Amino acid sequence: MKSDTTAESAAADGTSAARKVFVKTYGCQMNVYDSQRMADSLALEGYAETSSMQEADFVLLNTCHIREKAAEKVYSELGRVRAVKAERAGRGLETIVGVAGCVAQAEGREILRRESAVDLVIGPQTYHRLPGALRRALDGHRIVETDYAVEDKFDHLPKPGRAGIAARGVTAFLTVQEGCDKFCTFCVVPYTRGSEVSRPVAQIVAEAERLAGAGVRELTLLGQNVNAWHGEGPDGNEWGLGRLLFRLAELPGILRLRYTTSHPRDMSEDLIAAHRDLDVLMPYLHLPVQAGSDRVLKSMNRRHTAADYLRLVERIRKARPDIAMSGDFIVGFPGETEADFQLTLDLVRDVGYAQAFSFKYSPRPGTPGAERSDQVGEGEKNDRLPRLQALLARQQRDFAQQLVGRTVGVLIEKPGRAGQRVGRSPWLQPVIVDESVGGFGEIVDVRVNKAGQQSLFAEPVA
Ligand code: 5AD
Ligand code: SF4
């Protein structure tokens, strides 16, 4: 079922002896996908992946710029990388250090200035040029590649699932859309990932087919604004994400589909119909709302009200009653008062989330929110965030708890401890099954016995 061709064997058929690359990924799932594509392209150059930085000839940090701490973590990690590079140099070993991702895009040359150990800076739109950039770095140049490439990087990156590239299990990400034109006033993404671009239908279907052929059973379609995806279908009509999901659901081997992240403004009728009609589309929706106050939503440029969002959730739940909602929240956006914050808590109580992510507002240089003079104090942010998180944690616990005693389908992903199996529920919860039932990539029915903090515990149903 799985291809056993590894990076080493790719090196054996012609390219240089196996050098090693260590990739560390920060941030969102798209970065995970990008890291895999970069590792794939390096595998074809003879680089094997290692989980030890000390062993690596090439250390690559794939960074995130979404919040303050994300970038700061990268700079402190680079300090550690510098020490490893020096230690390796003492052993007579050369180390190339690269920074990719959204910090690379946003900071560019500044990274070379601030951190002498860095040889190469590469932005998300130029990943297909990584092997060339690495070769030039090995020749002693310091490289910055942050232009928006004119060529389509997906045409030039190695195809996931093809020979010479290691299979990575039964679930996979597939980027279908990148960038964002929404310009929420808190968000750096339109600046780091550029404007919205959709990959063509044929390219997506071909990638999905190859992944299914390599043993993938669950596909998660990715985009910063995934439900804004659109493209011309083989029927000559303009397709939206809903139509694309119908097409991917037909592929042999694909048992589950998911997508993330969505904007409320782009939840089209077609997409809601897909939730109603497609069994393989999992009943889980990550639909960030950010805040519950219309005044704050307006100043965030979200272009919907709290009532719009609640009506939308109602429509989606009518189409798919067992759907679990997930969301993102920001506390302490400029101008947010305690009364505004209470409206966020009200909205959370109205919706009832199965899962959620919440953050203190972090001013991002270059975004309109950062320019405002009515920034909320750190003290207020620190007061609000735990109150919101306590409510969300309670909801997440309640959601897991109501599954106890019920039978659910679990996609078996990997072995667990002592003969157990680990998989996921339709609602994305990790499930630990206490017997080794089912092969990897199969969906088995299990009865949930217990809901833990992070996982469900279950036994097979006879
Ligand atoms: N500050 C805090 N949180 C942010 N997010 C995006 N930008 C910021 C910011 N400047 C959060 C949003 C988004 C998630 C990916 O990160 O909630 O949905
Ligand atoms: Fe972070 Fe956004 Fe870049 Fe993902 S796209 S890595 S969340 S800044």
Side-chain angles (χ1 to χ4, degrees):
M1 185 173 85
K2 277 183 200 164
S3 154
D4 60 3
T5 327
T6 60
E8 278 90 337
S9 58
D13 54 56
T15 45
S16 59
R19 291 169 153 260
K20 294 210 165 97
V21 57
F22 169 85
V23 186
K24 181 160 180 175
T25 306
Y26 300 80
C28 64
Q29 289 142 324
M30 191 170 293
N31 269 15
V32 174
Y33 177 88
D34 289 343
S35 286
Q36 292 176 351
R37 293 295 75 72
M38 287 191 276
D40 290 349
S41 68
L42 295 169
L44 299 178
E45 299 279 307
Y47 281 81
E49 266 190 273
T50 172
S51 55
S52 152
M53 197 195 288
Q54 278 73 15
E55 278 190 352
D57 306 285
F58 181 31
V59 173
L60 181 62
L61 305 186
N62 190 7
T63 63
C64 173
H65 203 239
I66 197 95
R67 286 170 295 274
E68 207 117 47
K69 280 205 213 104
E72 283 318 308
K73 266 190 230 153
V74 171
Y75 279 111
S76 60
E77 181 71 10
L78 281 173
R80 280 189 290 276
V81 176
R82 192 191 330 122
V84 171
K85 184 170 177 163
E87 182 272 324
R88 281 175 53 88
R91 288 190 276 142
L93 299 169
E94 184 181 19
T95 314
I96 300 292
V97 177
V99 179
C102 294
V103 176
Q105 188 63 41
E107 304 260 291
R109 199 162 290 281
E110 173 67 10
I111 299 175
L112 295 187
R113 202 190 57 76
R114 206 166 139 177
E115 185 46 70
S116 59
V118 175
D119 304 286
L120 183 167
V121 174
I122 189 160
Q125 303 314 322
T126 41
Y127 288 159
H128 55 295
R129 297 186 189 157
L130 178 63
L134 177 55
R135 271 181 244 125
R136 278 181 289 137
L138 283 164
D139 284 342
H141 302 285
R142 294 185 94 194
I143 314 289
V144 180
E145 281 267 21
T146 50
D147 290 345
Y148 286 92
V150 284
E151 67 275 19
D152 179 354
K153 80 173 159 186
F154 292 108
D155 278 341
H156 293 83
L157 281 167
K159 312 272 183 271
R162 64 163 265 189
I165 291 177
R168 289 189 170 87
V170 302
T171 64
F173 295 132
L174 198 175
T175 293
V176 300
Q177 179 279 339
E178 206 173 341
C180 184
D181 294 337
K182 294 274 189 303
F183 290 94
C184 299
T185 53
F186 53 80
C187 189
V188 78
V189 166
Y191 311 94
T192 58
R193 290 276 174 170
S195 56
E196 216 167 275
V197 177
S198 292
R199 291 178 71 186
V201 176
Q203 214 184 57
I204 294 166
V205 172
E207 185 163 328
E209 276 173 339
R210 267 193 311 274
L211 288 168
V216 168
R217 298 293 165 257
E218 177 179 298
L219 274 183
T220 302
L221 308 186
L222 298 181
Q224 269 89 31
N225 210 176
V226 72
N227 58 345
W229 178 89
H230 60 97
E232 190 187 323
D235 55 6
N237 292 326
E238 179 75 0
W239 285 14
L241 187 67
R243 190 66 196 78
L244 181 67
L245 287 164
F246 276 96
R247 174 71 186 91
L248 296 175
E250 292 168 0
L251 296 182
I254 296 301
L255 305 179
R256 287 181 164 186
L257 290 170
R258 304 179 184 276
Y259 62 92
T260 197
T261 285
S262 297
H263 192 290
R265 299 255 314 181
D266 293 317
M267 285 304 298
S268 68
E269 274 311 320
D270 260 13
L271 188 49
I272 296 175
H275 279 288
R276 185 189 60 218
D277 298 334
L278 280 180
D279 286 341
V280 296
L281 181 56
M282 291 297 97
Y284 179 93
L285 178 60
H286 185 64
L287 193 65
V289 64
Q290 314 298 355
S293 148
D294 288 345
R295 207 174 58 81
V296 172
L297 286 169
K298 190 165 190 334
S299 67
M300 286 176 164
N301 191 32
R302 293 290 290 177
R303 293 182 291 151
H304 63 75
T305 62
D308 293 336
Y309 182 84
L310 292 173
R311 268 195 301 273
L312 177 59
V313 171
E314 201 174 73
R315 272 168 59 216
I316 296 163
R317 283 198 166 133
K318 215 163 139 197
R320 183 77 204 226
D322 66 340
I323 203 157
M325 295 301 300
S326 159
D328 291 341
F329 299 89
I330 296 176
V331 303
F333 187 73
E336 185 189 73
T337 63
E338 173 63 25
D340 291 319
F341 175 66
Q342 286 296 332
L343 292 170
T344 298
L345 296 178
D346 288 348
L347 180 141
V348 170
R349 283 187 206 101
D350 277 350
V351 172
Y353 286 91
Q355 178 155 47
F357 305 90
S358 48
F359 315 99
K360 288 189 279 184
Y361 172 66
S362 157
R364 306 284 65 213
T367 60
E371 309 292 307
R372 287 178 52 163
S373 55
D374 51 352
Q375 300 292 328
V376 172
E378 202 54 24
E380 280 145 300
K381 291 180 194 169
N382 286 335
D383 169 65
R384 287 173 199 166
L385 187 65
R387 286 149 72 202
L388 173 61
Q389 288 185 334
L391 174 60
L392 290 167
R394 214 155 48 235
Q395 292 190 340
Q396 185 171 343
R397 247 189 340 264
D398 291 348
F399 178 78
Q401 203 57 45
Q402 50 89 31
L403 291 170
V404 174
R406 283 175 53 188
T407 299
V408 304
V410 169
L411 177 69
I412 303 296
E413 289 178 21
K414 53 188 180 201
R417 276 183 299 175
Q420 295 170 327
R421 289 273 195 258
V422 180
R424 278 189 196 264
S425 78
W427 305 282
L428 215 50
Q429 299 138 304
V431 182
I432 296 162
V433 184
D434 69 4
E435 274 174 48
S436 47
V437 284
F440 303 121
E442 282 173 28
I443 294 177
V444 296
D445 280 339
V446 301
R447 183 161 11 261
V448 179
N449 292 327
K450 203 176 108 191
Q453 282 287 358
Q454 301 301 331
S455 318
L456 300 175
F457 297 88
E459 64 186 50
V461 178

